[in-house]
Amino acid sequence: MTDKRDDVVLRVMPRIADINANGHIFGGWVLSQMDIAGGIVAHRIAQGAVATVAIESMKFITPILLGDVVSVYAHEERRGRTSLAIRIDVVATRGAEQEQVDLTSGLFTFVALDENHRPRPLPAI
Ligand SMILES: CC(C)(COP(=O)(O)OP(=O)(O)OC[C@H]1O[C@@H](n2cnc3c(N)ncnc32)[C@H](O)[C@@H]1OP(=O)(O)O)[C@@H](O)C(=O)NCCC(=O)NCCS
């Protein structure tokens, strides 16, 4: 999943309140962390406000457990005129042996916004 192009954008530990009835962490909690991390990277590239316009693909690979340290990696995968697709991978560091477990991967699209909340062209590379 992750490679050296990726930045670790967030590291966070879920709390007891984030557990669902199966004893795993809510999918919505993970999605929220991914959206925050992708938004940070998109904001940096767009040099200003962005909005999430789409989640093009999303895969939950392994459940997240209480005690996991969750790392969210993100990198630019595709760039359009006003939009950016950011690949986001989520990995847990688990247990005393610090096992690395792939959790989730998704492709989130962000649009750069102007002061009227309408799409604006991305800055030149
Ligand atoms: C983001 C928003 C301003 C885009 O407005 P719009 O009228 O759809 O704009 P456009 O049709 O010109 O599309 C803008 C860009 O988004 C891309 N886009 C739009 N819908 C998309 C989708 N479903 N999947 C992927 N890309 C999409 C377009 O391809 C275009 O990219 P490009 O300029 O790089 O070619 C508007 O949809 C919006 O405000 N959505 C709500 C955003 C929001 O509240 N998000 C959650 C909180 S951050």
Side-chain angles (χ1 to χ4, degrees):
M1 285 216 309
T2 60
D3 66 30
K4 57 180 176 293
R5 286 174 307 160
D6 295 331
D7 289 327
V8 63
V9 183
L10 292 181
R11 269 208 178 99
V12 60
M13 275 184 98
R15 300 167 305 160
I16 286 176
D18 303 318
I19 293 177
N20 66 20
N22 303 324
H24 302 147
I25 303 303
F26 278 111
W29 180 88
V30 189
L31 266 171
S32 169
Q33 305 307 317
M34 295 169 83
D35 198 27
I36 292 167
I40 290 170
V41 172
H43 185 278
R44 187 165 68 212
I45 294 168
Q47 297 173 18
V50 293
T52 314
V53 71
I55 300 174
E56 289 179 44
S57 69
M58 181 80 205
K59 184 177 181 188
F60 291 98
I61 302 163
T62 313
I64 304 180
L65 308 179
L66 204 60
D68 285 350
V69 176
V70 174
S71 299
V72 186
Y73 296 83
H75 69 263
E76 178 184 332
E77 189 163 298
R78 195 175 64 235
R79 186 183 290 231
R81 193 180 77 84
T82 66
S83 70
L84 283 166
I86 306 287
R87 168 65 57 189
I88 303 171
D89 295 319
V90 187
V91 177
T93 304
R94 180 170 294 170
E97 296 182 354
Q98 304 275 289
E99 182 189 3
Q100 298 294 298
V101 181
D102 289 339
L103 298 175
T104 291
S105 181
L107 188 64
F108 285 53
T109 303
F110 296 85
V111 176
L113 297 180
D114 66 16
E115 59 281 3
N116 298 312
H117 310 285
R118 294 301 303 156
R120 84 179 143 85
L122 291 166
I125 300 174

